[in-house]
Amino acid sequence: MKVLVAGANGQIGRHLVKLLQDSEEHTVRAMIRKEEQQDYFRSLGVEAVLASLEGTVEEIAEAAKGCDAIVFTAGSGGHTGPDKTLLIDLDGAVKTVEAAEMAGIKRFVMVSALQAHRRENWNEKIRPYYVAKHYADRALLQSGLTYTIVRPGGLINEPGTGKITAAENLERGTIPREDVARIVYESLTEERTFNTSFDVISGEIPIADALKTL
């Protein structure tokens, strides 16, 4: 399938783009918001399209035209305020869901946050981020799309181990961004993840096997 990666220039996004590019099953289109980011993807031979999550639904739908799936890995980042969290992590995500519907794309994978579905377990230090993730996920759940919501624990930049623990509810833990990208990649075609939401942290089970137990 052809996959649009929204947030392709982020850390998880870059890992995912590389996995998709190297795949024999899939092709990839990177959605980015700055022209200067195109050089990086062009140097890899990756198709890149300019579109802003703060733009219109129509703009995002046009960027996704011809794709079979959308992955939302975008985020406003830890150095912005609640206003950008609202505009990118919430409204940007919801607009991307609406764009998928507008473009006739059925498959959608959302990168969320551990326990975003349970308010009582939100991290108080980044509560606005959790609010955004909670309601973005809810919009996807209420859509007609074939969704997967991946809720990773604390994101770290260590090399991926390829081994995880995945379940509907998990205690806090960490996981390399590289492994999150691999989980998203595997989830695209693993039917056990279709219309499923789950927490994920580093563990002892190979990613492909862990996803089959959901």
Side-chain angles (χ1 to χ4, degrees), residues 66-128:
C67 291
D68 305 297
I70 295 178
V71 176
F72 188 90
T73 69
S76 57
H79 302 296
T80 59
D83 56 338
K84 281 293 184 185
T85 301
L86 189 68
L87 292 170
I88 302 298
D89 299 83
L90 176 51
D91 195 41
V94 173
K95 283 191 287 193
T96 307
V97 170
E98 292 173 0
E101 294 175 314
M102 183 179 291
I105 297 168
K106 288 295 184 184
R107 188 76 180 101
F108 198 108
V109 181
M110 180 84 81
V111 178
S112 183
L114 190 85
Q115 290 289 291
H117 62 309
R118 299 182 70 181
R119 291 186 181 92
E120 64 272 20
N121 291 335
W122 289 354
N123 184 335
E124 289 298 321
K125 293 179 181 177
I126 51 172
R127 194 169 184 84

Side-chain angles (χ1 to χ4, degrees), residues 1-5 8 13 16-22 26-30 45-48 67:
M1 62 176 69
K2 184 162 192 170
V3 183
L4 179 77
V5 179
L16 179 59
V17 166
K18 190 74 169 65
L19 285 170
L20 289 164
Q21 187 198 27
D22 291 345
H26 309 300
T27 56
V28 61
R29 180 185 294 161
V46 171
E47 179 188 359
C67 291

Side-chain angles (χ1 to χ4, degrees), residues 122-139:
W122 289 354
N123 184 335
E124 289 298 321
K125 293 179 181 177
I126 51 172
R127 194 169 184 84
Y129 174 77
Y130 266 88
V131 171
K133 289 298 186 185
H134 177 86
Y135 286 100
D137 293 352
R138 185 175 287 190

